[in-house]
Amino acid sequence: MKKLILVPTLLSVLTGCSTQNPFREAASIKENNDPIFEDVTATSDVASESTPSIVIGDFDKDGRVDFIAKDRLYKNISTRDSIRFEDVTQEMNLHFLKGQPLFMDVNNDGNLDIVTSKGQVHLLKDNQYHEVGQRYGLKLPDDVFTISFGDLNRDGFPDILVGRQEKSENNQFNFVPPKVFLNQNGKSFLEVSNKHEMNNYPAYVRGIAWADFDNNSSPDIYYSNYRLRQNFLFQLNRGKMVDVAKKLNVQGEYDTKRYYDSYHKKNFGPLYGHTIGSVWADLNNDGNLDLWVSNLVHKFVGMSPKGSYDYRGYVCDDSKVYKNTGAPHYNFVDVRKNSGLPVKPIGDFSKYKGDELWSHSTAADFDNDGLLDMYVSQVYNFNYAHSLLFRNKGNFQFENVSKSGPMVLDSYAGAWADFNNDGKMDLIVSGREGVGIPARLRIFKNVDASNNRYLKIRLTGKKSGTIPVTTQVRVYHAKGLVMRQVEGTTGTFNQQNDPVLHFGLGKISKVSKIVINWSSGQTQVITNPKISSTLNIVEP
């Protein structure tokens, strides 16, 4: 049964809406605005069209990652010096591709299949895609916003989680429950939403991100929820999804007494927020996954030009950077206040500097200094709503280097990938070059000149499934460790980064060992690997 969740008096006004870096001295990172990315869109041969979602994967297994955007499949034909693509949509029998897609291996045959938010299942067989959604029984509702995958029941096959949109009429918002589908040995999908009591969690879900934040080889899933709804963090308890977001302090803030308003002569405060895209990432290299939460935040309070009093700035929760405190409790603490990430002021036109319009977020180490950086897109066709690039300086300190990177307006789409296999993470986005200019796909080649070292690892699971979501890899060296996980999807609109795990190493010249904690529970150790190379590792 659907639940109607109302926020009276508010809905009518809400219609808009470690240690220091151990690499720092050795890496000699420049503190200026030297170019980091070069716009190579003009020579990339991608279509001049916009998309809310970009998914990356190597469908033809040639060692160069390809991508899907706006119902088109692009084959990577790049060289070391040139990033280029070829549209192979028709050739691969994908001319009926509908909905927001993601790459996953549905039946663990080693081929990269495509599942979409419209319930399509395109299996890759004999070098062509074949749509078999009806046979797989993936019956998705029309209001799907985002989908995600991982192994929920630990049988080695990827399961699917579904987040749905809100329904609104006359400023009344109807939130509906998410859905859960278990993979039946790679042959079909079975809905088990009732088993997990999803009717207790109605929400407008904008993103679903998997992780193993407490390092126990069991999946944890964070739901990014919009329209003043608390976010969910599900853990498995005897095979059932249970929300622990409030217990662990990641549901968002709810404080109705924070601000006093002299116009209304009453108190207001954040009522959770408008979360869109969230990312799991080890931001301080302590071996624990932290959580970056991007919200759209209204900041204006005062008399609007239309003569009505707007108090949305009081009730929207700010974006968060949650530090994972680690064992034994694995609680989270919001450290944004001291992170260097600016928080826009709340107030009328004498104070107002625009809204915080963060939407999609995605992490990569673009300068190979050993710390994960963050790309954040912003929505709406405003001159200040440009995408943001935050360089991680260590100890949860971030520097805005957006002017050295890609800046587009009004965007949801963005993904990291090493398109030309030079060890540096490139960026593909969709957005506007300026106010009123039509949005389009843009390709940015990483031209960072720091010459820092790197390591890339391509994982193939067995018991964990061929795409082993939540598998963790820790790379150890003399100055500490660098950690990555297989994330599946990230941010919003089920977007996907390069599936090959990328580790920046700064000037580190030797890695002592790699420890892989497979999602199946197995641990694998590899000693003395060659750096500045790509390792292919198969689960034992």
Side-chain angles (χ1 to χ4, degrees), residues 15-306:
T15 56
C17 350
S18 165
T19 58
Q20 296 293 332
N21 179 10
F23 302 96
R24 178 61 54 209
E25 182 178 353
S28 299
I29 298 300
K30 296 181 179 180
E31 303 292 343
N32 56 27
N33 287 331
D34 284 352
I36 301 171
F37 294 93
E38 176 188 354
D39 189 342
V40 297
T41 307
T43 57
S44 67
D45 295 331
V46 298
S48 179
E49 57 188 4
S50 65
T51 180
S53 176
I54 298 168
V55 301
I56 309 287
D58 184 6
F59 81 90
D60 54 1
K61 294 184 280 190
D62 67 351
R64 294 174 295 191
V65 288
D66 316 294
F67 75 92
I68 304 175
K70 196 61 177 177
D71 302 333
R72 296 174 187 249
L73 174 62
Y74 289 93
K75 174 181 169 61
N76 189 344
I77 55 173
S78 301
T79 65
R80 189 83 164 193
D81 299 321
S82 174
I83 295 178
R84 294 181 57 233
F85 300 93
E86 178 185 359
D87 186 343
V88 294
T89 308
Q90 298 290 329
E91 175 185 329
M92 296 302 298
N93 195 35
L94 286 172
H95 44 286
F96 294 118
L97 186 65
K98 299 296 181 184
Q100 304 304 334
L102 58 75
F103 280 123
M104 60 184 286
D105 187 353
V106 171
N107 53 7
N108 281 342
D109 67 352
N111 292 322
L112 208 52
D113 309 310
I114 300 169
V115 175
T116 80
S117 59
K118 295 297 185 183
Q120 292 185 338
V121 179
H122 298 266
L123 294 186
L124 181 57
K125 185 177 181 181
D126 299 327
N127 297 316
Q128 272 209 331
Y129 281 102
H130 305 270
E131 207 289 304
V132 293
Q134 187 172 2
R135 169 158 58 100
Y136 271 78
L138 189 61
K139 298 179 180 179
L140 301 186
D142 293 335
D143 57 6
V144 172
F145 188 92
T146 190
I147 57 178
S148 183
F149 74 98
D151 189 359
L152 192 65
N153 60 351
R154 288 329 204 206
D155 66 351
F157 287 93
D159 309 305
I160 293 176
L161 301 180
V162 174
R164 302 166 67 187
Q165 300 181 49
E166 64 188 1
K167 297 185 182 349
S168 63
E169 185 176 354
N170 297 323
N171 288 324
Q172 302 294 302
F173 293 82
N174 183 11
F175 300 106
V176 291
K179 287 184 175 290
V180 182
F181 294 86
L182 288 185
N183 191 326
Q184 305 295 291
N185 298 313
K187 299 178 180 179
S188 64
F189 287 98
L190 174 68
E191 184 177 355
V192 293
S193 306
N194 289 338
K195 172 188 173 182
H196 294 280
E197 298 183 357
M198 287 293 105
N199 278 337
N200 292 331
Y201 305 104
Y204 180 6
V205 182
R206 304 289 294 264
I208 303 173
W210 295 63
D212 176 14
F213 75 84
D214 53 359
N215 304 326
N216 67 351
S217 297
S218 178
D220 312 301
I221 308 110
Y222 193 72
Y223 281 55
S224 300
N225 298 330
Y226 200 77
R227 196 69 68 188
L228 301 185
R229 293 285 287 152
Q230 69 268 35
N231 297 323
F232 307 141
L233 174 56
F234 289 108
Q235 290 187 303
L236 291 181
N237 185 352
R238 297 181 181 179
K240 180 181 173 182
M241 295 169 64
V242 177
D243 181 23
V244 296
K246 183 176 182 180
K247 175 183 175 183
L248 297 180
N249 192 41
V250 293
Q251 80 277 21
E253 293 190 64
Y254 187 96
D255 179 4
T256 60
K257 303 296 183 182
R258 181 170 299 177
Y259 308 107
Y260 177 77
D261 184 80
S262 58
Y263 180 86
H264 281 287
K265 294 182 173 55
K266 63 181 291 187
N267 290 89
F268 294 94
L271 306 177
Y272 303 118
H274 301 307
T275 303
I276 299 180
S278 302
V279 178
W280 292 101
D282 182 5
L283 296 173
N284 63 338
N285 289 345
D286 67 350
N288 297 307
L289 288 168
D290 310 299
L291 182 60
W292 178 291
V293 176
S294 286
N295 291 353
L296 187 152
V297 189
H298 298 289
K299 291 291 183 176
F300 186 78
V301 172
M303 198 63 66
S304 73
K306 295 182 179 180

